[in-house]
Amino acid sequence: MAGAAQPGSVNPSISGTIGSLRLFGVPVRFHFTFILLLVFVAVNTLGDRQSGASYALSVLGLFASVLLHELGHALVGRWYGIRTNEIVMFPIGGVSRLERPAKPFEELWIALAGPVVNLLIAFLLFGFLLYRNQIVGIKDLVDPTDANLLQRIAFGNLILAGFNLLPAFPMDGGRALRAILARFKSEDEATRIAAWAGRMLAISMGFYGLMAMQFMLVFVAFFVYLGAAQEGAAAMGRTLTHGIPVRRAMVTEFHTLPHGSSIRDAANLLLATSQQDFPVMHGTEVIGLLTRNALMRALATEGQDAYVSGAMEREFPVLAPDLDLAEALPLMAQAGSCALVMENEKLVGLLTSENLSEFLMLRRFGMEAAGVANS
Ligand code: ZN
């Protein structure tokens, strides 16, 4: 799969990853759910007639195929001048995080590059096997042996290519579909269709898996559904926010706390306003952010008379007012609290997930929300 581009000034990486290696300058990480797949495969292959070495080779072979698939995306991306920040390996494939969103025609070729790599691998392996006269029927592949190892890897690559070409998010085929649809329809609508196809595919796949007791399919369907929903939301957010500076969506009327305030003062402010996170100031300088969670924690452990400066977070997300809102989205998702909008070291606004979703809602209804109290 080619991943959703999540650009941003800080560019947080996908969380929950373990280990890391570097290929052609691209960091490769493994999502912890990848271990589930290895366990699943290990349990499923117990009692096979293949040797341990052949088993290890088949796992390694497929794993390398998935990596090469991702490198295919990365190389075509580089051709268009888009760097790949990292490749994260998930159980149903890898995800390449690109440095910036690709334009539709770029997206089409970047998406197709992955499955093309798998088709090439299959073609080369089958060619080699044909030359050696070692082609066997598909029926024989159900029974893994040392003799049909190469053939299984070749066939696995065909499945990888086929699966990834399904025209639905979050598969590469879904991205290609979106890129093609974007020629005839608005990008919004193209995204909606590809995400809808992904959800439908996941639901039918999961349903069939349950009926046929094919639990591997249910497992895959689950990830496809999550991916389709996430992809759809992210792409929708991007199209709604692209080209709009942070300052247009930020809250400009907000409360701050002087660093000498007590937890009681902060709790009163929390009750009196709809604000949840409060910048803590030393004069005009921001020295921390008191989040609602930190405030609750301090109330429980330190009591009402403690100072906010002891409870606040000293590291907080900061955005520039002219940053593209589309680039702020992934940072906001990562931060979980509000972000401070600072211009020349001066606090000019807050960006919270609530006002961001309100902003997105207004945009969806076609309201420009231009300069509502903050332009
Ligand atoms: Zn791919």
Side-chain angles (χ1 to χ4, degrees):
M1 267 173 272
Q6 301 187 327
S9 50
V10 179
N11 233 313
S13 58
I14 294 173
S15 55
T17 57
I18 40 174
S20 143
L21 56 118
R22 200 170 258 277
L23 280 177
F24 297 99
V26 181
V28 179
R29 278 181 250 283
F30 302 90
H31 195 255
F32 72 94
T33 48
F34 201 80
I35 297 173
L36 289 180
L37 182 72
L38 290 183
V39 171
F40 191 92
V41 172
V43 170
N44 254 10
T45 36
L46 284 180
D48 282 352
R49 285 198 295 126
Q50 66 180 327
S51 66
S54 152
Y55 171 64
L57 281 176
S58 67
V59 171
L60 266 180
L62 285 176
F63 178 73
S65 306
V66 173
L67 257 185
L68 287 170
H69 169 118
E70 294 308 321
L71 283 176
H73 292 310
L75 290 181
V76 175
R78 187 176 289 179
W79 170 264
Y80 287 119
I82 307 175
R83 266 196 9 209
T84 301
N85 284 329
E86 65 175 354
I87 292 172
V88 179
M89 302 293 282
F90 283 93
I92 58 166
V95 169
S96 307
R97 286 198 325 118
L98 306 181
E99 161 191 62
R100 68 166 168 87
K103 298 187 187 76
F105 76 93
E106 297 171 340
E107 186 174 37
L108 177 65
W109 298 116
I110 294 174
L112 290 180
V116 164
V117 167
N118 294 124
L119 287 176
L120 270 179
I121 296 174
F123 181 78
L124 287 177
L125 286 179
F126 278 128
F128 175 75
L129 288 165
L130 198 63
Y131 172 73
R132 300 270 300 262
N133 224 345
Q134 287 177 337
I135 296 281
V136 294
I138 287 184
K139 280 201 304 287
D140 301 309
L141 293 183
V142 180
D143 184 18
T145 61
D146 291 10
N148 62 21
L149 169 67
L150 273 187
Q151 181 133 353
R152 274 183 288 135
I153 294 177
F155 195 69
N157 271 281
L158 279 188
I159 293 178
L160 275 177
F163 177 69
N164 275 294
L165 282 173
L166 290 172
F169 267 171
M171 268 71 72
D172 294 326
R175 258 174 262 277
L177 173 71
R178 187 180 99 102
I180 293 169
L181 285 177
R183 292 184 175 207
F184 313 104
K185 299 172 179 294
S186 72
E187 236 179 282
D188 259 23
E189 210 170 330
T191 303
R192 251 197 303 273
I193 294 172
W196 174 83
R199 284 197 300 273
M200 289 304 119
L201 174 76
I203 290 170
S204 23
M205 196 192 270
F207 193 69
Y208 175 82
L210 283 178
M211 291 288 111
M213 310 272 277
Q214 296 277 336
F215 295 112
M216 184 67 180
L217 264 187
V218 181
F219 180 76
V220 172
F222 174 72
F223 278 95
V224 169
Y225 191 92
L226 281 190
Q230 225 168 51
E231 230 3 78
M236 186 64 70
R238 273 199 306 275
T239 39
L240 287 175
T241 53
H242 187 65
I244 296 171
V246 163
R247 72 164 80 242
R248 288 261 298 278
M250 71 188 183
V251 181
T252 47
E253 288 180 24
F254 54 88
H255 297 270
T256 59
L257 289 164
H259 74 287
S261 317
S262 65
I263 292 296
R264 183 185 294 113
D265 301 331
N268 285 335
L269 204 52
L270 182 72
L271 279 175
T273 66
S274 60
Q275 200 174 326
Q276 303 208 318
D277 306 309
F278 301 93
V280 179
M281 313 292 290
H282 185 274
T284 56
E285 189 199 347
V286 185
I287 55 168
L289 180 68
L290 185 72
T291 62
R292 186 174 174 278
N293 284 344
L295 173 56
M296 293 301 157
R297 225 177 10 244
L299 262 180
T301 56
E302 317 277 330
Q304 303 188 0
D305 296 319
Y307 288 114
V308 291
S309 47
M312 70 188 187
E313 319 275 351
R314 281 164 204 283
E315 307 233 327
F316 42 84
V318 172
L319 303 172
D322 294 316
L323 180 72
D324 195 310
L325 206 48
E327 293 182 28
L329 282 184
L331 295 175
M332 293 295 296
Q334 180 94 357
S337 63
C338 83
L340 307 190
V341 186
M342 314 262 283
E343 190 168 34
N344 305 327
E345 312 271 297
K346 201 175 152 273
L347 181 62
V348 291
L350 298 183
L351 194 63
T352 68
S353 33
E354 292 86 43
N355 80 295
L356 194 56
S357 53
E358 278 160 11
F359 182 83
L360 290 181
M361 200 173 65
L362 291 177
R363 290 273 302 162
R364 265 181 114 149
F365 286 112
M367 264 188 73
E368 260 303 301
V372 185
N374 57 25
S375 55

